[in-house]
Amino acid sequence: MTFESSPAQPPQGPTPLSPQEFKATVEGILTNVEWVIEGKSHTIKLAIAVMLAEGHLLLEDVPGVGKTQLAKALARSVDCSVRRIQFTPDLLPSDVTGVSIFDPEKRDFVFKPGAIFGNLILGDEINRASPKTQSALLECMEERQVTVDGNTYKLRSPFMVIATQNPVEMEGTYPLPEAQRDRFTARLAIGYPDVNAELALLDRREEYNPLDALRPVADADMIVRMIAAARAVHLAPELKRYVVDLVTATRTNAQVRLGASPRATLQLLRCTQVLAAMDGRDFALPDDVQQLAVPVLAHRLIPTTETTMGGGDTKAIVSDILRHVPVVSNPGRF
Amino acid sequence: MNGQRHATLVAAATLALTLTPLIGVFAGLGWTVPVLMAITAVAVSGSLMRAAGRGQGLQTLAMVGSLLVIMTAGFNGGTAIALIIPTPATFSHWGELSGEGIQQIIVNSPPVPAEGGILFLTMLGVGVVAILHDMFVVGLRTPALAGLTLLTMYLVPVSVAPEATAWFWFILPAVAYLWILADDNLRRVSSFGHRFTGAGHLVGQHFPSPLARTARWSAAGFIAVTLLLLTVVPTNTSGLIDNVAEDFGGTENYSLGDVNPWAQLSGSLNRPEEVDVLRVTTTDPSPRYLRMHVLDELTDDGFGPNDYSGGDDADGLTGAGDDEQVFEAQIENLQMEAPVVPVYGDPVGLDIEGDWQIDEDTGVIVGDGSDMGDVDEYTVTYTEPVPATETLAGAAGMDPSDERWESNTDHPDVPELADTVAQATEGAGTVHEKVLAVLAYLSPANGFRYSLETTDAGNDQAILDFLETREGYCQQYAAAMAWMLREAGVAARVVIGMSQGSRDGDQWVLTSHDYHAWVEVYFDGPGWVPFDPTPASGVPGSVGFPWATEPDTDENEEVNEGDPSAEPSEAPTDGATAPTDASPGAEENPTDDPTALAGGDGGAGATRFNPAWLALLLLLALPLVPALWRAGIRRSRLGPGRLSALTAWDEATDLALDYGVAIAPSLTPRQAAGVLAHAAPGARDAATALGAAMAQQRYSPRGAAIGGLADAVRDLHSQLDKAAEPRRRYRAMFWPASLAVKLSARQAEQSADMARRTARTADRMRSAMRRARRSNSRRERSVTGRP
């Protein structure tokens, strides 16, 4: 596998994907991942949606609930190149992006691609790396390309970064700057499994690690086709208006210092399309938007100091906005 | 001036305003002084007590006390101590005054002189109302209730003087009421310090509220609508004292004290409860009318009684001729008060207490200081001449050289009436023919209808009105007939008395509803012969005069056939035009024929459209308006032309609103459908289908099919209805919340719009003021800086 100056192939001639095929594939991935992470189908669904929306996922939760397991299971279910980067304080930007080294045989510098050159990048404990390394990763995430020594290398498609972050452990960590959190399409928390799920987890793991038994149910091509299919989902003007209203509401909310960006609007719509397609529909509904609003918007908001000190969090703010923004901006069509 | 004193002033002023219609009731303006004094005394005493910080109880006591004092000062009859402290004798004096006042109210017609009992009652009434009014407006701060006191005040003139119902008399009391409401509201609002608009904008002290324009328009609109209703809806304002003859000649023409025969007539007929007046035992198998007054003086103001000139003593009645049948009637007086004796036909003997005289010209027996009120029973013997129709047909009228000619044919010159009479009596040669022509003209066949709901007097305009509206009762009929005959050159006069009454065993009972008016026409030979133009259907105890018809029966039929408007069903009206047709049985007991009466009324009523019924119908339909409106909206949404997933969904959400199911606007159609399904579990499928269709229609590129949506809405409706409590169900039916929301949404929009406009105006004015200041300073600088 060489990466030298090889730009990622443009998406192949789109083979139309029927909604049924789309749904079946998604369900395959879902079943696969659920085999590893019990009782978290909604979270898994959202994670898949982020993948198909060409977004990046930030998993933020306490240690041991399966952040890495989820990322790994998702990666295994799709037959594509998976790279894992364990972020440590001494990790350097070149470890992520790659580096040019002198090849004495060719008497020239040769680019050694870093870990970022894969389809699925699993960035564990991203907040342990120094800010400059984080920045290197984040640039790749947004631009989908790497520039080293004046040469630009396109990243592969599909390309998705799943980063995990531990919110409780603060010592020796470098929390992601607010502006950079914006690069992640969604932030998900997994949460503790309920009693039955935990029991099932114990049973399943008695003999072997279920992760090892996973077989891929889709390949990179399939994912590319699915991404294309999702982009074709119809977005009604009323729905776009609703999304814009929601995002605008985050900007005018009194509890928020910094609202969601237009990028948030775009990504929310992309995820909405995917969620609609996952439901077998070719048009998006406000219900899709509402499912996504908290994961997509909450981590981008910066609450005011008063809100933070009052114990408020941005998830509650977004939920509140959802309760108050009318689905149709002029409900009184009398 | 503090708020309470201001309110006291407003209360007094509004009450005074409301009294203005009383101007029509009293002669002169002298009554205003004591009445205004009473209002002032009440207001001042109440205000003083309030200033001293006393409670409502003491305030009321003080007001009552001051009223007592001022009443005592005005009406003590020499019984008070130091002129203002009432003694028990004062109160008994007041009792007499009240009795006198009530008596005056009953017999007098407005305008009445403001003195004695009437003035006492007026002042007392106004004083009491003033106390209540002050209490409502100032003490209890319930200005809306003050409308009751104002209404009480307004009702007095309206019920006695019909001209008080003219629209301009209504305006002042209405304005007074609005003044109270506005003043109180201003007081209430300014007690908060600031005034706000509906949209929460601050309004300066001297800026009108943005809502003021709406309020002014609606107030003007309400007054206009009320005035309009007053003119459209027929009102029966003939009350205790109807001034049917108020215009007649003025009070100075009365020779019978202040008693007006017309007032007695219409007052009695309009009395809601029927009281027995006379009880007659007579040898006459079918007595005719009892004559009381003869009105033969015709002026612009209608018929009035002559100055009874007096004459022979009633005891000296000449006996009857040998060939005449003499009847004897014993008459028991139950309730009659009159200065004349009611007698039948031509009296030949009278046995009665007191001094009575016979008026030569009219044959009326007038009291010479005596009144029927003092007579318990009297006996009259009389003859009842029956002139043959043929005799009358051949008889001439009164000879113009007769000295009575002048007084019995004199009439004001009214060209329109002359035309009408010329038309009506066209081709009539003899007196009898003219009489019959006029009778035919006034018959129901010609569209005339008996109605007590008419208050007009007998003056020229009223007669023309009657001939125009063709509605009236015996007064108008008799006056019109006599006037028309005079116009046609026939000597005629109006007689007021009592009809036959109803039979009670061997006796005849005459009630207050049996007062009647008819006409006497002079024929050379037979003398004065009675005719009754009023339809028999309207008069209980009506008597048909056999001579009031054509001598030849063939011609009679011809007249009836010749009238195209005569309908076969109008049996009772035939009886009126040709009373000879009435069978002897009916004549004996005419009131026993209720079907005939009802038929007559109904037949006549059907020809005329009464707008009151329409108003009543509209009023009854009013509560149904929201329901009908809502049903109309539903039909238009679910109609085949307009039905779409969106209209079906709109209807579903409106239904939810009607049945109190809250659907927040932030809910997606699916979630809303879930809420609906939860509220009406039976309609889960319908709600889900509606929500899905709505989502599909709005968000998918293809739109939704409309099949089954109308049924789904109906299903949802019935299930919601089933699930709702009864109260909620009725509200959803008769006052659907979705309508209210629509209306208030529109109103909120307008209010916000208005607030914006006001704010803009205020901004403009502020900036204009700022500019003005700046320009001043510039000028000063230029003057001082560069000399």
Side-chain angles (χ1 to χ4, degrees):
Chain A
M1 204 188 282
T2 60
F3 296 99
E4 291 122 298
S5 311
S6 65
Q9 312 99 313
Q12 287 166 356
T15 325
L17 198 64
S18 74
Q20 286 75 26
E21 251 181 298
F22 192 104
K23 200 175 172 187
T25 314
V26 167
E27 271 167 8
I29 301 174
L30 195 62
T31 320
N32 246 5
V33 180
E34 266 196 310
W35 184 251
V36 181
I37 313 282
E38 284 85 0
K40 294 290 172 196
S41 63
H42 186 66
T43 312
I44 299 165
K45 213 171 147 185
L46 291 180
I48 298 171
V50 170
M51 176 174 73
L52 296 181
E54 295 188 285
H56 306 289
L57 185 62
L58 179 62
L59 289 171
E60 187 177 85
D61 215 330
V62 291
V65 289
K67 295 188 292 288
T68 313
Q69 292 283 320
L70 170 64
K72 278 183 172 171
L74 195 57
R76 284 267 174 106
S77 301
V78 181
D79 184 17
C80 58
S81 69
V82 179
R83 296 299 181 90
R84 184 170 189 278
I85 310 173
Q86 183 67 44
F87 283 78
T88 54
D90 59 349
L91 193 74
L92 290 173
S94 55
D95 296 333
V96 175
T97 56
V99 66
S100 295
I101 53 169
F102 187 74
D103 185 344
E105 281 178 25
K106 290 186 181 172
R107 307 180 66 81
D108 197 3
F109 282 97
V110 175
F111 181 64
K112 283 280 175 195
I116 199 78
F117 286 85
N119 290 107
L120 266 178
I121 316 299
L122 182 54
D124 240 354
E125 312 228 32
I126 188 172
N127 54 341
R128 288 195 180 277
S130 65
K132 62 178 178 184
T133 312
Q134 287 177 358
S135 303
L137 173 73
L138 294 166
E139 193 230 328
C140 307
M141 283 164 63
E142 179 59 20
E143 309 290 329
R144 288 168 190 274
Q145 64 188 18
V146 173
T147 307
V148 176
D149 295 339
N151 291 323
T152 299
Y153 306 95
K154 286 253 179 210
L155 294 179
R156 310 177 67 163
S157 183
F159 172 68
M160 181 191 191
V161 174
I162 303 177
T164 70
Q165 183 171 256
N166 181 349
V168 287
E169 199 177 345
M170 286 300 158
E171 220 166 294
T173 62
Y174 305 90
L176 282 181
E178 286 97 347
Q180 297 193 344
R181 282 209 299 266
D182 196 30
R183 303 265 165 90
F184 286 99
T185 301
R187 178 183 66 181
L188 292 175
I190 296 176
Y192 295 114
D194 61 18
V195 176
N196 289 333
E198 201 156 358
L199 280 173
L201 180 147
L202 292 181
D203 289 346
R204 198 162 300 160
R205 297 196 178 228
E206 249 170 28
E207 294 156 16
Y208 60 100
N209 185 354
L211 203 54
D212 300 333
L214 283 191
R215 294 282 166 270
V217 289
D219 56 12
D221 278 351
M222 185 66 169
I223 299 297
V224 170
R225 283 171 69 201
M226 285 170 84
I227 289 170
R231 294 198 83 151
V233 166
H234 175 74
L235 291 168
E238 286 94 341
L239 189 91
K240 290 179 184 162
R241 178 67 200 260
Y242 178 53
V243 170
V244 170
D245 283 349
L246 281 178
V247 174
T248 310
T250 67
R251 296 172 193 156
T252 54
N253 193 297
Q255 296 179 293
V256 175
R257 189 152 59 86
L258 182 69
S261 58
R263 171 160 48 208
T265 319
L266 276 172
Q267 294 184 339
L268 182 53
L269 271 178
R270 290 287 307 272
C271 294
T272 304
Q273 286 178 311
V274 177
L275 217 55
M278 283 164 74
D279 198 28
R281 269 181 282 119
D282 65 349
F283 59 93
L285 287 179
D287 305 76
D288 305 325
V289 178
Q290 292 197 350
Q291 283 189 55
L292 289 161
V294 171
V296 174
L297 296 180
H299 67 284
R300 301 168 201 258
L301 307 186
I302 305 177
T304 57
T305 323
E306 289 87 347
T307 311
T308 321
M309 291 174 70
D313 80 343
T314 52
K315 286 184 202 166
I317 294 173
V318 175
S319 301
D320 193 53
I321 287 171
L322 278 180
R323 267 195 302 278
H324 286 99
V325 174
V327 171
V328 180
S329 66
N330 178 20
R333 297 186 316 105
F334 300 131
Chain B
M1 187 183 294
N2 74 17
Q4 284 203 326
R5 246 179 298 165
H6 183 247
T8 314
L9 204 69
V10 169
T14 49
L15 189 62
L17 271 182
T18 314
L19 289 175
T20 44
L22 274 180
I23 291 172
V25 176
F26 291 111
L29 288 173
W31 57 276
T32 51
V33 177
V35 163
L36 289 180
M37 271 167 63
I39 295 177
T40 313
V42 167
V44 167
S45 56
S47 194
L48 284 179
M49 248 332 140
R50 271 192 285 275
R54 302 295 164 182
Q56 183 60 51
L58 276 178
Q59 291 171 22
T60 311
L61 268 184
M63 289 189 277
V64 171
S66 70
L67 181 63
L68 263 183
V69 166
I70 202 156
M71 296 289 296
T72 314
F75 304 90
N76 53 39
T79 56
I81 303 167
L83 285 180
I84 54 164
I85 300 165
T87 59
T90 314
F91 289 107
S92 59
H93 174 63
W94 287 0
E96 288 163 24
L97 271 178
S98 314
E100 187 191 314
I102 291 168
Q103 200 58 43
Q104 284 171 339
I105 288 171
I106 290 172
V107 296
N108 283 357
S109 64
V112 294
E115 55 193 25
I118 285 194
L119 187 61
F120 171 78
L121 287 179
T122 309
M123 197 170 160
L124 182 67
V126 169
V128 170
V129 168
I131 294 172
L132 287 175
H133 193 60
D134 188 88
M135 239 165 76
F136 286 142
V137 176
V138 195
L140 303 179
R141 287 293 296 273
T142 49
L145 277 184
L148 287 181
T149 52
L150 292 185
L151 189 66
T152 316
M153 231 42 260
Y154 177 64
L155 277 181
V156 172
V158 166
S159 57
V160 293
E163 72 267 30
T165 53
W167 61 273
F168 51 88
W169 288 127
F170 172 73
I171 286 191
L172 281 179
V175 165
Y177 185 44
L178 289 177
W179 184 12
I180 293 181
L181 293 181
D183 182 69
D184 183 79
N185 205 40
L186 218 62
R187 197 147 59 101
R188 198 179 293 267
V189 171
S190 55
S191 70
F192 292 110
H194 291 295
R195 297 192 296 139
F196 291 93
T197 70
H201 294 275
L202 192 66
V203 178
Q205 280 284 308
H206 303 291
F207 277 107
S209 156
L211 299 175
R213 205 177 59 153
T214 322
R216 271 196 294 274
W217 275 110
S218 48
F222 284 136
I223 293 186
V225 166
T226 314
L227 289 176
L228 203 72
L229 280 178
L230 280 180
T231 58
V232 173
V233 178
T235 47
N236 181 3
T237 54
S238 27
L240 194 56
I241 314 173
D242 195 355
N243 67 334
V244 278
E246 86 281 355
D247 295 311
F248 145 69
T251 43
E252 64 272 19
N253 274 7
Y254 291 108
S255 61
L256 301 164
D258 284 340
V259 172
N260 181 337
W262 284 128
Q264 191 174 23
L265 170 70
S266 60
S268 306
L269 289 180
N270 280 302
R271 253 174 109 143
E273 83 284 16
E274 194 171 353
V275 293
D276 294 348
V277 176
L278 295 177
R279 183 174 283 273
V280 180
T281 315
T282 176
T283 54
D284 190 347
S286 173
R288 287 191 210 148
Y289 295 155
L290 273 168
R291 292 170 93 235
M292 290 170 68
H293 294 282
V294 170
L295 313 182
D296 55 3
E297 228 180 55
L298 179 56
T299 65
D300 281 344
D301 298 323
F303 281 91
N306 192 349
D307 270 353
Y308 296 129
S309 55
D312 298 334
D313 231 25
D315 298 340
L317 280 167
T318 52
D322 295 338
D323 54 340
E324 287 177 296
Q325 191 181 5
V326 178
F327 303 107
E328 185 180 276
Q330 268 190 316
I331 301 175
E332 191 185 339
N333 184 9
L334 304 173
Q335 195 97 73
M336 177 166 287
E337 290 186 1
V340 292
V341 181
V343 291
Y344 286 109
D346 290 343
V348 292
L350 182 63
D351 178 14
I352 189 167
E353 285 173 43
D355 297 326
W356 302 89
Q357 289 182 337
I358 304 173
D359 183 63
E360 295 184 82
D361 291 339
T362 59
V364 173
I365 298 172
V366 192
D368 185 10
S370 297
D371 191 278
M372 278 298 291
D374 306 325
V375 177
D376 292 333
E377 198 176 36
Y378 62 99
T379 309
V380 59
T381 49
Y382 60 97
T383 63
E384 276 190 344
V386 182
T389 312
E390 290 73 19
T391 318
L392 293 183
M398 184 181 278
D399 185 7
S401 62
D402 195 309
E403 57 178 5
R404 293 171 294 177
W405 171 260
E406 189 73 20
S407 64
N408 283 301
T409 56
D410 196 23
H411 60 272
D413 191 24
V414 182
E416 299 99 308
L417 194 62
D419 292 346
T420 312
V421 172
Q423 275 175 7
T425 60
E426 200 180 350
T430 66
V431 172
H432 193 238
E433 276 169 2
K434 285 178 182 170
V435 170
L436 293 183
V438 171
L439 277 176
Y441 181 81
L442 295 176
S443 71
N446 197 22
F448 279 84
R449 192 168 80 89
Y450 185 87
S451 163
L452 267 175
E453 291 175 1
T454 318
T455 60
D456 288 327
N459 66 17
D460 51 0
Q461 190 52 48
I463 293 295
L464 285 175
D465 284 349
F466 167 65
L467 295 179
E468 178 73 24
T469 63
R470 308 197 165 191
E471 270 187 35
Y473 59 105
C474 58
Q475 176 187 356
Q476 280 88 31
Y477 275 103
M481 178 176 177
W483 196 320
M484 287 174 78
L485 285 174
R486 286 190 176 200
E487 189 72 54
V490 177
R493 60 192 189 187
V494 174
V495 183
I496 290 179
M498 301 190 78
S499 69
Q500 194 178 36
S502 53
R503 191 184 271 275
D504 179 20
D506 292 342
Q507 297 178 316
W508 294 87
V509 175
L510 279 63
T511 70
S512 56
H513 287 185
D514 289 327
Y515 278 96
H516 192 38
W518 62 97
V519 174
E520 284 183 348
V521 182
Y522 189 85
F523 289 88
D524 193 24
W528 292 100
V529 177
F531 290 91
D532 189 354
T534 314
S537 62
V539 185
S542 167
V543 173
F545 298 114
W547 51 84
T549 178
E550 306 276 341
D552 186 1
T553 47
D554 291 345
E555 281 176 40
N556 187 17
E557 281 169 14
E558 195 179 284
V559 168
N560 275 346
E561 284 166 9
D563 191 340
S565 66
E567 292 168 29
S569 66
E570 286 186 329
T573 59
D574 279 353
T577 43
T580 32
D581 293 350
S583 67
E587 208 170 313
E588 275 173 22
N589 206 349
T591 50
D592 277 1
D593 197 0
T595 51
L597 293 182
D601 282 357
T607 60
R608 266 172 203 282
F609 173 70
N610 190 343
W613 287 109
L614 184 67
L616 192 70
L617 212 66
L618 286 178
L619 211 63
L620 285 177
L622 211 56
L624 297 178
V625 167
L628 292 175
W629 188 1
R630 184 73 185 79
I633 290 175
R634 181 174 310 136
R635 191 161 309 130
S636 93
R637 279 171 176 167
L638 302 185
R642 279 201 58 200
L643 177 67
S644 74
L646 291 184
T647 59
W649 181 250
D650 281 347
E651 179 57 28
T653 48
D654 275 2
L655 277 175
L657 207 56
D658 291 348
Y659 285 97
V661 180
I663 294 186
S666 63
L667 293 187
T668 68
R670 281 182 176 188
Q671 292 164 333
V675 172
L676 278 176
H678 181 74
R684 178 171 294 279
D685 292 344
T688 312
L690 283 169
M694 159 70 183
Q696 179 119 12
Q697 172 75 26
R698 184 174 286 163
Y699 296 109
S700 94
R702 289 174 305 277
I706 57 170
L709 288 183
D711 287 336
V713 169
R714 276 177 214 117
D715 191 25
L716 178 69
H717 188 182
S718 66
Q719 291 297 330
L720 277 171
D721 201 62
K722 206 186 283 177
E725 293 168 22
R727 241 186 82 215
R728 173 64 72 182
R729 202 174 299 153
Y730 290 122
R731 257 198 79 187
M733 182 77 205
F734 292 110
W735 183 234
S738 57
L739 272 191
V741 166
K742 263 193 243 310
L743 291 175
S744 65
R746 203 170 298 168
Q747 201 182 9
E749 238 167 65
Q750 283 170 355
S751 161
D753 190 44
M754 230 179 295
R756 268 196 300 279
R757 249 180 303 170
T758 313
R760 264 205 301 278
T761 315
D763 276 349
R764 259 204 300 279
M765 291 185 72
R766 266 196 293 276
S767 60
M769 269 144 60
R770 267 203 299 278
R771 264 203 298 280
R773 261 203 309 280
R774 262 207 303 275
S775 71
N776 275 345
S777 64
R778 234 196 331 267
R779 199 174 53 197
E780 273 170 33
R781 200 168 48 224
S782 70
V783 169
T784 54
R786 290 183 186 166

